[in-house]
């Protein structure tokens, strides 16, 4: 993988990103989180295009249901509608940077801009907001997964993260069909698998930006499809995935870090007018 990845390392990334929003619930209200997210992302000075990956089993919404934006919005009707399809190497991605988003992610335009600014300095890594960690459970003699708020982390979830589009090619072409099939069967763990892949390539941890404990919209849309995060088996599945992935990689590739990058003067007791990303502190 390291030889293949040579095309990424040492090359200055193009100064824009393409956002991919993974949609799995039907559009029934103009107040749904996905529409708020679309507007916020499209306002970013670095965004060139937003792709809505429609992995919902309901028909595509009419064009007028989507808000008007300053950048093009492309809706792709996923044929297989499986979780791994969010990491396909779509020809419609014109930029090096991909901003990967879940439909119920809560991010402001300022937060998007800051994350992308950080990513430009670390284009080989995953850069984003929701952090998670792994640990060795000596009692069970297996790897564990935790979402507890701690001082370190080893994963940044792809529900709100930026990474190089080359990882789409590695995810699709290098990883075995058995691992991708497990992800698709469970509709879970795709973010963990992507973190395993990136850390295996770089031998480095991802990068978390700014303190943000909540990145999911709490308002539940009234649909017949419940959120996968509400599934009681969701956490157990992720524990199992950790060990199956580690087994295939032959070791644990994830690397711990306690570094968090914040804007200059973040939370400093100075005038808010002196801060470039001042809106972040008001969230």
């Amino acid at each position: 993988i390291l030889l293949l990845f040579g095309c990424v390392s040492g090359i200055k990334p193009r100064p824009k990103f393409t956002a991919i929003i993974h949609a799995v619930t039907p559009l029934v209200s103009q107040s749904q989180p996905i529409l708020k997210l679309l507007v916020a992302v499209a306002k970013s000075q670095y965004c060139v295009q937003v792709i809505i990956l429609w992995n919902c089993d309901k028909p595509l919404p009419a064009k007028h249901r989507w808000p008007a934006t300053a950048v093009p919005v492309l809706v792709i009707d996923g044929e297989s509608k499986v979780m791994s399809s969010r990491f396909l190497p779509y020809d419609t991605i014109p930029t090096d940077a991909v901003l990967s988003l879940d439909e119920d992610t809560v991010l402001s335009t300022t937060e998007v801009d800051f994350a992308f600014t950080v990513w430009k300095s670390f284009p080989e890594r995953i850069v984003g907001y929701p952090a998670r960690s792994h640990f060795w459970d000596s009692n069970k003699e297996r790897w564990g997964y935790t979402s507890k708020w701690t001082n370190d982390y080893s994963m940044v979830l792809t529900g709100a993260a930026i990474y190089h589009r080359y990882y789409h090619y590695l995810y699709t072409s290098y990883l075995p069909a058995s691992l991708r099939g497990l992800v698709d069967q469970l509709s879970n763990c795709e973010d963990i698998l992507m973190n395993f892949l990136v850390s295996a390539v770089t031998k480095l941890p991802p990068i978390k930006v700014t303190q943000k404990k909540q990145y999911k919209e709490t308002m539940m849309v009234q649909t017949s499809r419940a959120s996968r995060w509400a599934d009681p088996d969701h956490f157990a599945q992720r524990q199992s995935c950790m060990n199956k992935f580690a087994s295939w990689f032959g070791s644990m590739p994830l690397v711990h870090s306690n570094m968090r990058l914040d804007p200059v003067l973040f939370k400093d007791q100075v005038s808010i007018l002196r801060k470039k990303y001042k809106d972040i502190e008001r969230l």
Side-chain angles (χ1 to χ4, degrees):
I1 311 178
L2 291 174
L3 292 176
L4 289 172
F5 194 68
C7 65
V8 175
S9 300
I11 295 179
K12 186 177 181 180
R14 293 170 227 169
K16 298 286 184 178
F17 70 80
T18 300
I20 300 180
I21 303 178
H22 186 233
V24 295
T25 55
L27 194 60
V28 296
S29 167
Q30 291 303 110
S31 63
Q32 279 180 231
I34 188 173
L35 299 182
K36 299 176 185 177
L37 179 63
L38 173 57
V39 170
V41 171
K43 286 181 179 178
S44 170
Q45 60 182 310
Y46 305 113
C47 182
V48 299
Q49 179 178 244
V50 179
I51 296 175
I52 306 290
L53 178 57
W54 192 254
N55 269 356
C56 177
D57 52 11
K58 301 295 183 181
L60 282 173
K63 288 185 178 180
H64 72 269
R65 300 291 303 280
W66 302 105
T69 59
V71 299
V73 176
L74 174 64
V75 183
I76 297 178
D77 193 1
E79 294 182 5
S80 57
K81 300 189 186 303
V82 294
M83 195 59 69
S84 290
S85 63
R86 68 188 301 172
F87 297 139
L88 287 174
Y90 295 103
D91 293 335
T92 49
I93 301 176
T95 58
D96 292 333
V98 174
L99 171 60
S100 176
L101 298 161
D102 287 345
E103 62 180 7
D104 54 352
T105 294
V106 179
L107 284 180
S108 69
T109 305
T110 302
E111 287 174 313
V112 170
D113 284 350
F114 179 67
F116 179 69
T117 300
V118 172
W119 178 85
K120 287 191 293 182
S121 297
F122 304 94
E124 76 281 10
R125 304 206 217 179
I126 298 177
V127 174
Y129 286 92
R132 300 290 186 265
S133 189
H134 75 287
F135 64 94
W136 177 254
D137 189 330
S138 57
N139 293 326
K140 297 181 179 179
E141 294 189 342
R142 56 179 294 180
W143 293 106
Y145 169 92
T146 179
S147 58
K148 291 182 179 179
W149 190 262
T150 62
N151 289 330
D152 63 22
Y153 61 91
S154 57
M155 291 171 276
V156 166
L157 304 188
T158 54
I162 301 176
Y163 51 80
H164 198 286
R165 66 174 176 172
Y166 187 65
Y167 288 120
H168 280 204
Y169 292 93
L170 290 183
Y171 187 99
T172 304
S173 302
Y174 173 75
L175 293 178
S178 59
L179 294 189
R180 299 195 309 272
L182 175 63
V183 164
D184 295 338
Q185 177 187 355
L186 298 175
S187 291
N188 196 353
C189 304
E190 81 288 351
D191 45 3
I192 298 176
L193 184 54
M194 180 59 89
N195 273 270
F196 267 67
L197 174 62
V198 176
S199 289
V201 168
T202 64
K203 311 301 182 187
L204 295 168
I207 294 179
K208 175 173 173 53
V209 289
T210 316
Q211 183 176 7
K212 187 178 181 70
K213 290 187 177 181
Q214 178 182 337
Y215 77 102
K216 290 287 185 178
E217 177 66 67
T218 56
M219 179 188 68
M220 292 297 295
V221 180
Q222 297 299 318
T223 67
S224 59
R225 183 183 179 116
S227 169
R228 61 176 176 145
W229 298 91
D231 186 345
D233 293 330
H234 180 81
F235 189 78
Q237 290 172 350
R238 292 171 80 76
Q239 298 274 11
S240 178
C241 285
M242 292 281 296
N243 290 277
K244 290 179 180 178
F245 297 164
S247 177
W248 184 83
F249 277 89
S251 63
M252 172 52 71
L254 297 179
V255 181
H256 281 104
S257 174
N258 55 17
M259 180 177 74
R260 189 187 81 200
L261 297 187
D262 297 323
V264 174
L265 302 180
F266 181 67
K267 298 295 186 182
D268 281 5
Q269 297 301 312
V270 298
S271 171
I272 197 74
L273 298 177
R274 295 176 59 188
K275 303 180 181 185
K276 181 177 180 180
Y277 299 99
K278 51 185 177 292
D279 290 343
I280 290 180
E281 300 193 23
R282 294 170 177 159
L283 301 174

